[in-house]
Amino acid sequence: MNFWRSLVGKLWVTIICLVAVVLITLGLFLLPYIDSNFANSGDIKRLFMYTCMIGFSLTTFFALFLFTKITQPMQRVIEAANNIRRGEYGTRLTLVTSDEIGQLATSFNHMAEELEENIRSLHHEKGHLSSVLRSMSDAVITFDTLGQIILTNPHGQSLLESWSDLEWEQESDIEPHPETADRNVPPPLRPLFLSTLKQGGDERSNVHVRQGVWSVHMAPLYSEGSIRGVVAVLRDVTEEVRLEKMRRDFVANVSHEIRTPLSMMQGYSEALLDGMASSPEESSELIQVIHDESLRMGRLVKDLLDLARMEAGHTDMLKAEVDMNELLERVYRKFSVRAKERDIHLKLTKESDVLVLKAADEDKLEQVLTNLLDNAFRHTQGGKKITVHTGTCVLESRRYFEIKIQDEGVGIPQEDLPYIFDRFYKADKARVRGESGGTGLGLAIVKNIVESHHGTISASSKLGESTTFTLRLPVEKQ
């Protein structure tokens, strides 16, 4: 059936039809003439039939010759082309002829070889690009001009999934394209995406999403002079922004904390130099103020150095078995005298008389308890009570030693509680200090020491009533 559809088949049918028409035409005109003018008309008719049969045989042979030399090679070329179209780029032709079919086969083989090499190079480049994208810690997302996602790396895919439920109502000064109403661009990236399409250049911005900050860099993708898409590179800079804010706050707070005692020391020393003290008692009072402020600066510098070493991980922890009951008794005796002087009732309650931490630094834990109790005394007025309650608890199949220090001070506002362990936190608006204030670093140091022991510390407070610090330390060695 394929033969009759081929060029040779059609040519053969055409030749047979032409020969048949010629012979039939000649037969119609010559047969009556032969019958009337020739005596041996039968031999002539047989000769005529033999001639027709030989003519048909020659045309058939000619058609078969053309089929073998033209149609079959062309079918092999077509089959090889179809194989390449299906992705079998190693297909080659084995036609060895010197005619045009042979030249076509040679050109086809060269074309297939170059195509295979180009496809191999493209696969190699694609694999290389895919490996680079997978290894990038930044999220990479590529959009077309309609906002549909073309390509992402694993981090980009995770980011898109986490942002899939965002509802963004941020106003944009850029009018959206009418065809981009139904797009897959995440809401936080839409203003920058539209700006990149409109401006035709790179765009950079920081995007705040939930509790994180993302640095976004978008660049247009050009094809033949027109924008065909946009590639976005997103980096999580939440920690960098937080550290930068901490650095600025730290510099501002340190400057503020040091400026006050320096100003006082400078003012009182100038008063002494100018002879403003009219009596030895006044001179002694000015000198005492200068001495107190110098001690305050010394404490601030010491706390800053301690905190810096802890956060850098350079603090040496001499961990050993620690008898917490003995440590608590020693701290309790140390603050008992202060409690009597301030008319504050200090109470220590223990659920067990024998409790040992397997691995802890006794000096650091004493510093923690001292800072917490000192903080409680500074914010508790006379006639009030401070309670230290100890016991054990089990959390997530681990046994913890629990210490609760509760004062009856003025309390801490709820909105300030999340920040009390930050450096230089002072809730002066809610507390009345009965004596010189601290450096604002005590609770930050406490938190670092507790976390270095794999413990936790938290605070709860009722404004105007009480504040409770809860300290939990693991009993077993971590």
Side-chain angles (χ1 to χ4, degrees):
M1 191 65 179
N2 293 333
F3 172 75
W4 302 108
R5 294 180 179 178
S6 64
L7 177 63
V8 174
K10 295 176 181 178
L11 180 62
W12 184 45
V13 171
T14 302
I15 293 174
I16 290 177
C17 292
L18 289 175
V19 172
V21 170
V22 171
L23 293 177
I24 292 173
T25 302
L26 290 175
L28 292 176
F29 285 97
L30 293 178
L31 288 178
Y33 178 77
I34 292 173
D35 290 336
S36 61
N37 294 287
F38 292 92
N40 193 8
S41 60
D43 294 337
I44 295 176
K45 291 180 180 180
R46 283 193 296 272
L47 178 62
F48 183 76
M49 293 298 297
Y50 293 153
T51 302
C52 291
M53 294 174 62
I54 292 172
F56 280 111
S57 300
L58 291 175
T59 56
T60 303
F61 175 76
F62 177 69
L64 293 175
F65 176 78
L66 292 178
F67 179 77
T68 303
K69 295 299 182 180
I70 299 177
T71 303
Q72 287 184 345
M74 290 300 296
Q75 287 180 346
R76 294 173 63 183
V77 173
I78 294 172
E79 183 180 357
N82 288 331
N83 290 337
I84 291 181
R85 179 176 60 83
R86 289 191 294 266
E88 300 176 7
Y89 302 108
T91 303
R92 298 292 184 271
L93 291 173
T94 57
L95 298 176
V96 183
T97 58
S98 58
D99 54 8
E100 290 80 359
I101 300 296
Q103 295 177 4
L104 176 62
T106 302
S107 300
F108 181 89
N109 289 335
H110 285 304
M111 179 196 69
E113 184 176 354
E114 293 181 2
L115 181 62
E116 183 181 14
E117 182 64 26
N118 291 335
I119 295 298
R120 187 183 297 111
S121 299
L122 288 175
H123 280 300
H124 177 73
E125 292 297 329
K126 183 178 179 180
H128 180 68
L129 177 62
S130 178
S131 299
V132 171
L133 289 176
R134 284 197 306 269
S135 62
M136 289 181 63
S137 59
D138 299 339
V140 180
I141 309 173
T142 305
F143 307 96
D144 61 13
T145 54
L146 298 180
Q148 303 297 325
I149 298 172
I150 302 174
L151 177 67
T152 63
N153 65 345
H155 293 283
Q157 185 64 33
S158 300
L159 186 63
L160 289 174
E161 293 175 357
S162 64
W163 286 2
S164 60
D165 58 344
L166 286 178
E167 294 182 1
W168 202 257
E169 298 180 354
Q170 181 173 342
E171 297 292 334
S172 176
D173 297 333
I174 303 175
E175 293 295 331
H177 194 278
E179 296 181 359
T180 61
D182 183 16
R183 54 183 179 264
N184 292 333
V185 179
L189 303 182
R190 288 176 187 172
L192 203 61
F193 172 77
L194 295 174
S195 176
T196 303
L197 290 180
K198 182 177 180 180
Q199 303 296 334
D202 291 10
E203 297 286 339
R204 297 175 181 269
S205 178
N206 282 352
V207 177
H208 295 259
V209 182
R210 295 191 177 100
Q211 302 300 323
V213 183
W214 295 84
S215 174
V216 184
H217 177 205
M218 280 197 181
L221 299 176
Y222 286 92
S223 176
E224 298 180 356
S226 61
I227 298 178
R228 65 178 181 86
V230 172
V231 59
V233 180
L234 299 90
R235 175 176 297 176
D236 188 357
V237 294
T238 305
E239 187 66 17
E240 297 176 13
V241 172
R242 188 185 69 84
L243 292 176
E244 178 62 21
K245 182 179 182 301
M246 287 180 59
R247 185 189 67 81
R248 291 196 301 266
D249 294 344
F250 177 78
V251 173
N253 288 324
V254 169
S255 300
H256 173 74
E257 292 292 334
I258 293 181
R259 187 184 299 115
T260 301
L262 279 178
S263 298
M264 295 187 66
M265 293 170 63
Q266 181 179 357
Y268 282 95
S269 61
E270 289 176 353
L272 286 174
L273 291 175
D274 293 341
M276 296 181 62
S278 58
S279 64
E281 291 79 8
E282 292 183 359
S283 298
S284 176
E285 183 178 351
L286 295 178
I287 294 173
Q288 184 64 42
V289 172
I290 295 175
H291 177 70
D292 291 341
E293 293 301 323
S294 65
L295 292 178
R296 179 181 174 187
M297 285 189 61
R299 291 196 303 271
L300 176 63
V301 173
K302 178 181 179 299
D303 288 347
L304 282 173
L305 292 176
D306 290 343
L307 186 59
R309 283 195 296 266
M310 290 178 187
E311 293 182 345
H314 297 157
T315 304
D316 295 329
M317 288 286 181
L318 302 177
K319 292 185 178 182
E321 286 190 355
V322 176
D323 187 342
M324 290 301 299
N325 288 306
E326 179 182 343
L327 175 60
L328 287 167
E329 290 288 348
R330 184 166 67 250
V331 175
Y332 173 76
R333 289 193 298 270
K334 182 169 61 174
F335 280 90
S336 295
V337 177
R338 185 174 177 182
K340 292 179 180 179
E341 294 175 353
R342 294 284 306 276
D343 190 23
I344 294 176
H345 179 59
L346 180 62
K347 182 180 181 181
L348 173 63
T349 61
K350 296 181 290 184
E351 291 184 359
S352 175
D353 292 333
V354 179
L355 184 59
V356 176
L357 299 184
K358 298 299 182 181
D361 190 318
E362 186 172 357
D363 292 337
K364 296 297 182 183
L365 292 183
E366 183 174 354
Q367 182 181 359
V368 168
L369 296 174
T370 300
N371 284 351
L372 292 177
L373 283 171
D374 181 72
N375 191 66
F377 271 92
R378 282 191 286 114
H379 303 298
T380 302
Q381 298 178 355
K384 300 292 184 177
K385 181 173 63 175
I386 297 177
T387 303
V388 180
H389 177 76
T390 65
T392 59
C393 63
V394 178
L395 298 174
E396 298 179 355
S397 302
R398 290 182 179 178
R399 189 174 177 224
Y400 287 86
F401 178 65
E402 185 177 75
I403 305 174
K404 290 185 177 181
I405 299 177
Q406 182 178 10
D407 62 54
E408 294 182 351
V410 294
I412 304 173
Q414 292 297 319
E415 60 270 17
D416 290 336
L417 279 177
Y419 310 105
I420 62 174
F421 295 103
D422 293 346
R423 292 178 290 187
F424 297 108
Y425 166 80
K426 293 180 181 180
D428 291 331
K429 59 186 179 181
R431 293 184 177 226
V432 178
R433 299 184 185 275
E435 55 189 73
S436 61
T439 62
L441 298 172
L443 291 180
I445 294 175
V446 166
K447 183 179 180 182
N448 274 274
I449 294 176
V450 171
E451 290 180 347
S452 67
H453 284 78
H454 306 283
T456 60
I457 185 170
S458 60
S460 61
S461 179
K462 292 182 179 180
L463 191 60
E465 295 184 11
S466 65
T467 301
T468 302
F469 284 89
T470 303
L471 170 65
R472 294 187 178 96
L473 297 170
V475 175
E476 302 298 330
K477 183 178 181 180
Q478 300 295 306

